[in-house]
């Protein structure tokens, strides 16, 4: 089976990152401290630039779109929530729950489309626009794909409409696995906060699933691709240990990207297991974790469009 990874990513460089009050209503992991907004934005920008430079130093091709002051889009840095690609080549745009997040596609739709077409070479790009739906399905935040088994996972929440998720899976030929979560009395906002899937490994926090039948179904679906399932405790999930993204080339070890906080939450045995299959890169994105509650896999959009990446997601 061919490795399904990509060396190309898109990142949206924030203009003025800060608290998105509209999006904060269902985030339990945010911890606000009394720091001036300008200091939050400048520190976040330094962390973003360090991450992008670190990726490029490791041989990842980072395509950058600069956010600007037009419209109010404090969550624009989390580009994977709004679109995803595959190597057919196809581009999917997704509907966001919050108005400010929907404004991101007004800003960036054309630039994302143009970049995807350029990366597709002479092959026409097919665009599937789901973003006009009244119900939300927040891209790679809501949907975690296993391209090796053709199974897609989605945690129920106000950001992930079940009917739209199942319709998306049907159109893509994926088997849908949907489940409920309980994170201190609330559903987890995004699936990719508690689940990441790589070629050989799957990172998950099974303790968040209160229903034993759904927990068993999720475990079996993750193991279907002969993956090693790393079940992480709620403390590791809160520290973003379940948030990672696999990048790299077809040959050799892939690169597994964590945040600094997420990497530090791993046990020594977990790190040894990861190093068996992957190299590791980690970077401090503390401002984004603290003020938005999103992980590093919500900042790096994989571009599965060419260069031998197979069908992608």
């Amino acid at each position: 089976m061919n490795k399904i990874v990509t060396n190309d990513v898109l990142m949206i460089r924030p203009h003025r990152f800060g608290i998105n009050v509209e999006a904060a209503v269902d985030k339990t992991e945010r911890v606000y401290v009394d720091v001036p907004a300008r200091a939050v934005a400048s520190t976040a920008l330094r962390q973003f630039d360090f991450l992008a430079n670190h990726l490029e130093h490791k041989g990842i091709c980072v395509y950058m779109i600069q956010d600007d002051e037009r419209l109010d889009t404090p969550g624009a840095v989390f580009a994977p929530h709004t679109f995803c690609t595959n190597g057919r080549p196809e581009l999917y745009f997704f509907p966001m729950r919050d108005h400010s997040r929907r404004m991101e596609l007004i800003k960036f739709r054309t630039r994302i489309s143009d970049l995807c077409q350029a990366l597709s070479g002479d092959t026409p790009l097919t665009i599937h626009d789901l973003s006009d739906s009244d119900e939300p399905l927040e891209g790679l935040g809501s949907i975690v794909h296993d391209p090796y088994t053709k199974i897609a996972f989605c945690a129920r929440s106000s950001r992930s409409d079940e009917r739209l998720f199942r319709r998306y899976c049907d159109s893509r030929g994926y088997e849908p696995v949907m489940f409920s979560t309980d994170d201190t009395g609330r559903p987890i906002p995004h699936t990719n906060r508690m689940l990441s899937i790589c070629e050989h490994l799957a990172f998950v926090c099974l303790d968040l699933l209160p229903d034993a039948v759904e927990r068993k179904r999720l475990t079996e679906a993750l193991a279907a691709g002969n993956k090693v399932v790393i079940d992480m405790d709620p403390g590791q999930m809160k520290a973003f240990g379940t948030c990672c993204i696999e990048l790299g080339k077809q040959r050799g070890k892939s690169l597994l990207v964590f945040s600094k906080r997420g990497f530090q939450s791993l046990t020594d045995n977990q790190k040894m297991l990861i190093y068996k299959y992957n190299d590791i890169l980690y970077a401090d994105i503390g401002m984004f974790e603290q003020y938005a509650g999103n992980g590093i896999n919500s900042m790096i959009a994989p571009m599965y469009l060419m260069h031998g990446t197979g069908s992608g997601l």
Side-chain angles (χ1 to χ4, degrees):
M1 182 181 294
N2 289 333
K3 182 187 293 188
I4 301 175
V5 292
T6 181
N7 207 43
D8 298 328
V9 302
L10 171 65
M11 299 178 68
I12 296 183
R13 189 172 187 263
H15 168 63
R16 192 182 293 118
F17 175 77
I19 298 171
N20 186 344
V21 176
E22 186 182 27
V25 295
D26 57 353
K27 295 294 183 77
T28 60
E29 56 274 275
R30 293 164 179 259
V31 179
Y32 301 139
V33 294
D34 189 17
V35 177
R38 183 173 297 180
V40 171
S42 62
T43 301
L45 192 58
R46 286 197 301 273
Q47 291 177 348
F48 177 93
D49 288 341
F50 180 85
L51 171 60
N53 291 335
H54 207 11
L55 288 170
E56 290 181 327
H57 181 72
K58 289 292 186 178
I60 304 301
C61 183
V62 179
Y63 296 92
M64 194 87 69
I65 293 178
Q66 174 65 57
D67 192 13
D68 57 41
E69 61 188 7
R70 294 178 303 117
L71 305 177
D72 183 22
T73 52
V77 67
F78 305 115
H81 295 173
T82 60
F83 80 95
C84 77
T85 63
N86 64 51
R88 288 176 177 85
E90 294 177 317
L91 167 63
Y92 284 79
F93 288 117
F94 291 96
M96 306 300 292
R97 186 194 65 182
D98 301 323
H99 175 75
S100 63
R101 300 293 323 262
R102 287 182 178 251
M103 293 298 99
E104 293 168 27
L105 283 182
I106 294 177
K107 268 189 178 182
F108 305 122
R109 185 193 310 270
T110 299
R111 279 183 279 180
I112 292 171
S113 299
D114 288 349
L115 174 60
C116 289
Q117 183 59 76
L119 290 176
S120 302
D122 295 331
T123 306
L125 176 70
T126 301
I127 299 177
H128 304 272
D129 193 351
L130 310 179
S131 64
D132 288 337
S133 171
D134 291 332
E135 303 300 330
L137 186 65
E138 299 197 344
L140 300 184
S142 293
I143 308 165
V144 175
H145 303 74
D146 186 342
Y148 298 96
T149 60
K150 287 293 186 179
I151 300 174
F153 303 86
C154 184
R156 295 182 182 92
S157 77
S158 63
R159 300 168 184 269
S160 303
D161 180 71
E162 183 164 357
R163 285 183 296 179
L164 187 55
F165 168 64
R166 294 186 181 279
R167 193 162 76 240
Y168 167 82
C169 289
D170 186 61
S171 72
R172 295 288 314 278
Y174 271 77
E175 176 187 347
V177 173
M178 198 155 196
F179 50 89
S180 297
T181 59
D182 184 348
D183 179 21
T184 60
R186 296 182 180 184
I188 198 85
H190 284 127
T191 314
N192 74 342
R193 272 295 283 111
M194 53 79 65
L195 175 64
S196 294
I197 293 178
C198 309
E199 180 185 10
H200 299 290
L201 303 171
F203 301 83
V204 65
C205 182
L206 292 172
D207 282 350
L208 290 186
L209 276 68
D211 185 276
V213 174
E214 290 189 336
R215 194 183 315 122
K216 183 174 183 292
R217 172 72 183 105
L218 175 58
T219 303
E220 291 173 346
L222 291 174
N226 295 318
K227 289 177 172 52
V228 178
V229 178
I230 301 178
D231 184 14
M232 310 187 84
D233 63 48
Q236 291 178 301
M237 188 279 296
K238 290 286 187 183
F240 298 87
T242 46
C243 296
C244 59
I245 180 171
E246 187 175 34
L247 302 171
K249 298 181 179 180
Q250 288 278 306
R251 299 183 183 278
K253 281 188 176 182
S254 299
L255 185 67
L256 206 53
V257 184
F258 288 89
S259 71
K260 179 181 179 180
R261 185 178 171 196
F263 177 75
Q264 290 175 337
S265 77
L266 302 174
T267 67
D268 289 341
N269 286 339
Q270 289 169 342
K271 291 175 184 177
M272 287 177 60
L273 183 58
I274 294 168
Y275 279 122
K276 180 179 177 181
Y277 300 105
N278 298 93
D279 293 325
I280 295 178
L281 176 153
Y282 64 87
D284 183 7
I285 58 161
M287 280 296 178
F288 300 100
E289 293 172 332
Q290 180 174 334
Y291 284 90
N294 290 321
I296 203 162
N297 51 350
S298 287
M299 296 173 63
I300 302 169
M303 305 294 278
Y304 298 100
L305 290 158
M306 60 179 298
H307 304 309
T309 56
S311 62
L313 295 179

mmCIF file of all heavy atoms in Angstrom, residues 94-118:
data_model
loop_
_atom_site.group_PDB
_atom_site.id
_atom_site.type_symbol
_atom_site.label_atom_id
_atom_site.label_comp_id
_atom_site.label_asym_id
_atom_site.label_seq_id
_atom_site.Cartn_x
_atom_site.Cartn_y
_atom_site.Cartn_z
ATOM 1 N N PHE A 94 -16.002 23.948 3.197
ATOM 2 C CA PHE A 94 -16.931 23.494 4.223
ATOM 3 C C PHE A 94 -17.658 24.653 4.901
ATOM 4 O O PHE A 94 -17.116 25.762 5.000
ATOM 5 C CB PHE A 94 -16.172 22.684 5.280
ATOM 6 C CG PHE A 94 -15.663 21.370 4.777
ATOM 7 C CD1 PHE A 94 -14.359 21.246 4.328
ATOM 8 C CD2 PHE A 94 -16.493 20.262 4.727
ATOM 9 C CE1 PHE A 94 -13.880 20.039 3.853
ATOM 10 C CE2 PHE A 94 -16.033 19.042 4.259
ATOM 11 C CZ PHE A 94 -14.720 18.928 3.820
ATOM 12 N N PRO A 95 -18.866 24.377 5.416
ATOM 13 C CA PRO A 95 -19.631 25.413 6.124
ATOM 14 C C PRO A 95 -19.216 25.503 7.591
ATOM 15 O O PRO A 95 -19.125 24.504 8.298
ATOM 16 C CB PRO A 95 -21.079 24.918 6.004
ATOM 17 C CG PRO A 95 -20.947 23.425 5.923
ATOM 18 C CD PRO A 95 -19.644 23.141 5.229
ATOM 19 N N MET A 96 -18.953 26.718 8.033
ATOM 20 C CA MET A 96 -18.567 26.964 9.414
ATOM 21 C C MET A 96 -19.804 27.341 10.233
ATOM 22 O O MET A 96 -20.768 27.896 9.704
ATOM 23 C CB MET A 96 -17.533 28.077 9.476
ATOM 24 C CG MET A 96 -16.313 27.839 8.584
ATOM 25 S SD MET A 96 -15.431 26.333 9.020
ATOM 26 C CE MET A 96 -14.796 26.786 10.623
ATOM 27 N N ARG A 97 -19.747 27.083 11.518
ATOM 28 C CA ARG A 97 -20.877 27.403 12.385
ATOM 29 C C ARG A 97 -21.005 28.895 12.623
ATOM 30 O O ARG A 97 -22.107 29.462 12.558
ATOM 31 C CB ARG A 97 -20.728 26.693 13.735
ATOM 32 C CG ARG A 97 -21.931 26.852 14.659
ATOM 33 C CD ARG A 97 -21.596 26.435 16.081
ATOM 34 N NE ARG A 97 -20.594 27.315 16.698
ATOM 35 C CZ ARG A 97 -20.106 27.139 17.919
ATOM 36 N NH1 ARG A 97 -20.500 26.101 18.639
ATOM 37 N NH2 ARG A 97 -19.208 27.986 18.412
ATOM 38 N N ASP A 98 -19.880 29.562 12.884
ATOM 39 C CA ASP A 98 -19.905 30.950 13.311
ATOM 40 C C ASP A 98 -19.727 31.904 12.137
ATOM 41 O O ASP A 98 -18.984 31.632 11.188
ATOM 42 C CB ASP A 98 -18.807 31.199 14.350
ATOM 43 C CG ASP A 98 -18.968 30.308 15.574
ATOM 44 O OD1 ASP A 98 -20.122 30.058 15.974
ATOM 45 O OD2 ASP A 98 -17.939 29.850 16.114
ATOM 46 N N HIS A 99 -20.395 33.055 12.245
ATOM 47 C CA HIS A 99 -20.364 34.042 11.166
ATOM 48 C C HIS A 99 -18.929 34.476 10.839
ATOM 49 O O HIS A 99 -18.555 34.572 9.667
ATOM 50 C CB HIS A 99 -21.201 35.257 11.551
ATOM 51 C CG HIS A 99 -21.149 36.381 10.556
ATOM 52 N ND1 HIS A 99 -21.825 36.345 9.348
ATOM 53 C CD2 HIS A 99 -20.477 37.570 10.579
ATOM 54 C CE1 HIS A 99 -21.582 37.450 8.673
ATOM 55 N NE2 HIS A 99 -20.768 38.208 9.391
ATOM 56 N N SER A 100 -18.128 34.738 11.862
ATOM 57 C CA SER A 100 -16.769 35.223 11.617
ATOM 58 C C SER A 100 -15.939 34.185 10.868
ATOM 59 O O SER A 100 -15.073 34.537 10.055
ATOM 60 C CB SER A 100 -16.084 35.581 12.944
ATOM 61 O OG SER A 100 -15.942 34.442 13.774
ATOM 62 N N ARG A 101 -16.201 32.911 11.132
ATOM 63 C CA ARG A 101 -15.474 31.862 10.422
ATOM 64 C C ARG A 101 -15.967 31.736 8.983
ATOM 65 O O ARG A 101 -15.194 31.426 8.074
ATOM 66 C CB ARG A 101 -15.615 30.512 11.135
ATOM 67 C CG ARG A 101 -15.121 30.413 12.554
ATOM 68 C CD ARG A 101 -13.626 30.528 12.767
ATOM 69 N NE ARG A 101 -12.753 29.936 11.801
ATOM 70 C CZ ARG A 101 -12.168 28.744 11.893
ATOM 71 N NH1 ARG A 101 -12.419 27.974 12.938
ATOM 72 N NH2 ARG A 101 -11.335 28.319 10.971
ATOM 73 N N ARG A 102 -17.245 31.983 8.753
ATOM 74 C CA ARG A 102 -17.752 31.948 7.371
ATOM 75 C C ARG A 102 -17.162 33.085 6.539
ATOM 76 O O ARG A 102 -17.021 32.969 5.319
ATOM 77 C CB ARG A 102 -19.287 32.010 7.362
ATOM 78 C CG ARG A 102 -19.949 30.717 7.825
ATOM 79 C CD ARG A 102 -21.466 30.772 7.770
ATOM 80 N NE ARG A 102 -22.053 29.492 8.191
ATOM 81 C CZ ARG A 102 -22.660 28.623 7.380
ATOM 82 N NH1 ARG A 102 -22.766 28.892 6.102
ATOM 83 N NH2 ARG A 102 -23.158 27.497 7.852
ATOM 84 N N MET A 103 -16.806 34.180 7.191
ATOM 85 C CA MET A 103 -16.195 35.293 6.484
ATOM 86 C C MET A 103 -14.821 34.928 5.905
ATOM 87 O O MET A 103 -14.356 35.556 4.956
ATOM 88 C CB MET A 103 -16.041 36.496 7.415
ATOM 89 C CG MET A 103 -17.343 37.141 7.858
ATOM 90 S SD MET A 103 -18.323 37.817 6.475
ATOM 91 C CE MET A 103 -19.519 36.479 6.244
ATOM 92 N N GLU A 104 -14.192 33.915 6.457
ATOM 93 C CA GLU A 104 -12.860 33.526 5.980
ATOM 94 C C GLU A 104 -12.889 33.098 4.522
ATOM 95 O O GLU A 104 -11.969 33.402 3.750
ATOM 96 C CB GLU A 104 -12.304 32.400 6.855
ATOM 97 C CG GLU A 104 -12.012 32.838 8.280
ATOM 98 C CD GLU A 104 -11.747 31.667 9.197
ATOM 99 O OE1 GLU A 104 -11.285 30.610 8.694
ATOM 100 O OE2 GLU A 104 -11.991 31.784 10.417
ATOM 101 N N LEU A 105 -13.947 32.388 4.119
ATOM 102 C CA LEU A 105 -14.005 31.932 2.727
ATOM 103 C C LEU A 105 -14.304 33.084 1.769
ATOM 104 O O LEU A 105 -13.922 33.027 0.598
ATOM 105 C CB LEU A 105 -15.036 30.820 2.570
ATOM 106 C CG LEU A 105 -14.579 29.450 3.084
ATOM 107 C CD1 LEU A 105 -15.653 28.398 2.831
ATOM 108 C CD2 LEU A 105 -13.268 29.037 2.436
ATOM 109 N N ILE A 106 -14.984 34.120 2.254
ATOM 110 C CA ILE A 106 -15.163 35.311 1.415
ATOM 111 C C ILE A 106 -13.798 35.918 1.111
ATOM 112 O O ILE A 106 -13.518 36.363 0.003
ATOM 113 C CB ILE A 106 -16.083 36.328 2.120
ATOM 114 C CG1 ILE A 106 -17.504 35.755 2.242
ATOM 115 C CG2 ILE A 106 -16.092 37.659 1.365
ATOM 116 C CD1 ILE A 106 -18.462 36.660 2.986
ATOM 117 N N LYS A 107 -12.922 35.909 2.109
ATOM 118 C CA LYS A 107 -11.574 36.445 1.939
ATOM 119 C C LYS A 107 -10.682 35.561 1.086
ATOM 120 O O LYS A 107 -9.967 36.035 0.191
ATOM 121 C CB LYS A 107 -10.903 36.591 3.307
ATOM 122 C CG LYS A 107 -11.044 37.921 3.996
ATOM 123 C CD LYS A 107 -10.126 37.924 5.214
ATOM 124 C CE LYS A 107 -10.172 39.237 5.948
ATOM 125 N NZ LYS A 107 -9.246 39.258 7.096
ATOM 126 N N PHE A 108 -10.699 34.262 1.378
ATOM 127 C CA PHE A 108 -9.617 33.395 0.909
ATOM 128 C C PHE A 108 -10.015 32.379 -0.154
ATOM 129 O O PHE A 108 -9.144 31.679 -0.676
ATOM 130 C CB PHE A 108 -9.015 32.646 2.101
ATOM 131 C CG PHE A 108 -8.539 33.531 3.204
ATOM 132 C CD1 PHE A 108 -9.041 33.399 4.491
ATOM 133 C CD2 PHE A 108 -7.587 34.512 2.968
ATOM 134 C CE1 PHE A 108 -8.604 34.216 5.524
ATOM 135 C CE2 PHE A 108 -7.142 35.343 3.987
ATOM 136 C CZ PHE A 108 -7.658 35.191 5.257
ATOM 137 N N ARG A 109 -11.298 32.262 -0.479
ATOM 138 C CA ARG A 109 -11.734 31.220 -1.408
ATOM 139 C C ARG A 109 -10.968 31.261 -2.725
ATOM 140 O O ARG A 109 -10.450 30.250 -3.205
ATOM 141 C CB ARG A 109 -13.235 31.343 -1.676
ATOM 142 C CG ARG A 109 -13.794 30.221 -2.554
ATOM 143 C CD ARG A 109 -15.197 30.582 -3.044
ATOM 144 N NE ARG A 109 -16.059 31.004 -1.955
ATOM 145 C CZ ARG A 109 -16.820 30.154 -1.248
ATOM 146 N NH1 ARG A 109 -16.812 28.872 -1.539
ATOM 147 N NH2 ARG A 109 -17.576 30.612 -0.281
ATOM 148 N N THR A 110 -10.862 32.456 -3.327
ATOM 149 C CA THR A 110 -10.213 32.557 -4.630
ATOM 150 C C THR A 110 -8.735 32.212 -4.543
ATOM 151 O O THR A 110 -8.197 31.498 -5.399
ATOM 152 C CB THR A 110 -10.392 33.972 -5.209
ATOM 153 O OG1 THR A 110 -11.789 34.233 -5.380
ATOM 154 C CG2 THR A 110 -9.689 34.096 -6.557
ATOM 155 N N ARG A 111 -8.050 32.707 -3.491
ATOM 156 C CA ARG A 111 -6.623 32.426 -3.374
ATOM 157 C C ARG A 111 -6.360 30.948 -3.110
ATOM 158 O O ARG A 111 -5.401 30.370 -3.643
ATOM 159 C CB ARG A 111 -6.015 33.296 -2.270
ATOM 160 C CG ARG A 111 -5.712 34.723 -2.730
ATOM 161 C CD ARG A 111 -5.043 35.544 -1.649
ATOM 162 N NE ARG A 111 -6.005 36.062 -0.700
ATOM 163 C CZ ARG A 111 -5.684 36.812 0.360
ATOM 164 N NH1 ARG A 111 -4.411 37.070 0.616
ATOM 165 N NH2 ARG A 111 -6.604 37.276 1.168
ATOM 166 N N ILE A 112 -7.221 30.315 -2.310
ATOM 167 C CA ILE A 112 -7.072 28.881 -2.067
ATOM 168 C C ILE A 112 -7.324 28.104 -3.356
ATOM 169 O O ILE A 112 -6.567 27.187 -3.711
ATOM 170 C CB ILE A 112 -8.023 28.422 -0.947
ATOM 171 C CG1 ILE A 112 -7.584 29.018 0.398
ATOM 172 C CG2 ILE A 112 -8.058 26.898 -0.857
ATOM 173 C CD1 ILE A 112 -8.579 28.788 1.523
ATOM 174 N N SER A 113 -8.364 28.468 -4.075
ATOM 175 C CA SER A 113 -8.683 27.779 -5.333
ATOM 176 C C SER A 113 -7.555 27.929 -6.344
ATOM 177 O O SER A 113 -7.164 26.962 -7.014
ATOM 178 C CB SER A 113 -9.988 28.320 -5.918
ATOM 179 O OG SER A 113 -11.075 28.121 -5.041
ATOM 180 N N ASP A 114 -7.026 29.147 -6.476
ATOM 181 C CA ASP A 114 -5.949 29.389 -7.438
ATOM 182 C C ASP A 114 -4.701 28.584 -7.086
ATOM 183 O O ASP A 114 -4.037 28.021 -7.966
ATOM 184 C CB ASP A 114 -5.614 30.881 -7.492
ATOM 185 C CG ASP A 114 -6.700 31.705 -8.175
ATOM 186 O OD1 ASP A 114 -7.599 31.112 -8.788
ATOM 187 O OD2 ASP A 114 -6.645 32.954 -8.063
ATOM 188 N N LEU A 115 -4.368 28.525 -5.793
ATOM 189 C CA LEU A 115 -3.206 27.751 -5.373
ATOM 190 C C LEU A 115 -3.411 26.269 -5.660
ATOM 191 O O LEU A 115 -2.515 25.588 -6.172
ATOM 192 C CB LEU A 115 -2.939 27.960 -3.889
ATOM 193 C CG LEU A 115 -1.836 27.086 -3.275
ATOM 194 C CD1 LEU A 115 -0.493 27.340 -3.955
ATOM 195 C CD2 LEU A 115 -1.734 27.311 -1.775
ATOM 196 N N CYS A 116 -4.601 25.758 -5.353
ATOM 197 C CA CYS A 116 -4.880 24.340 -5.602
ATOM 198 C C CYS A 116 -4.798 24.011 -7.081
ATOM 199 O O CYS A 116 -4.282 22.953 -7.474
ATOM 200 C CB CYS A 116 -6.247 23.972 -5.041
ATOM 201 S SG CYS A 116 -6.314 23.933 -3.231
ATOM 202 N N GLN A 117 -5.307 24.903 -7.927
ATOM 203 C CA GLN A 117 -5.212 24.650 -9.370
ATOM 204 C C GLN A 117 -3.762 24.674 -9.833
ATOM 205 O O GLN A 117 -3.339 23.846 -10.646
ATOM 206 C CB GLN A 117 -6.024 25.678 -10.149
ATOM 207 C CG GLN A 117 -6.028 25.435 -11.659
ATOM 208 C CD GLN A 117 -6.584 24.069 -12.036
ATOM 209 O OE1 GLN A 117 -7.793 23.860 -12.003
ATOM 210 N NE2 GLN A 117 -5.715 23.132 -12.404
ATOM 211 N N ALA A 118 -2.977 25.598 -9.295
ATOM 212 C CA ALA A 118 -1.564 25.656 -9.666
ATOM 213 C C ALA A 118 -0.832 24.381 -9.254
ATOM 214 O O ALA A 118 0.005 23.858 -10.007
ATOM 215 C CB ALA A 118 -0.907 26.877 -9.022
#
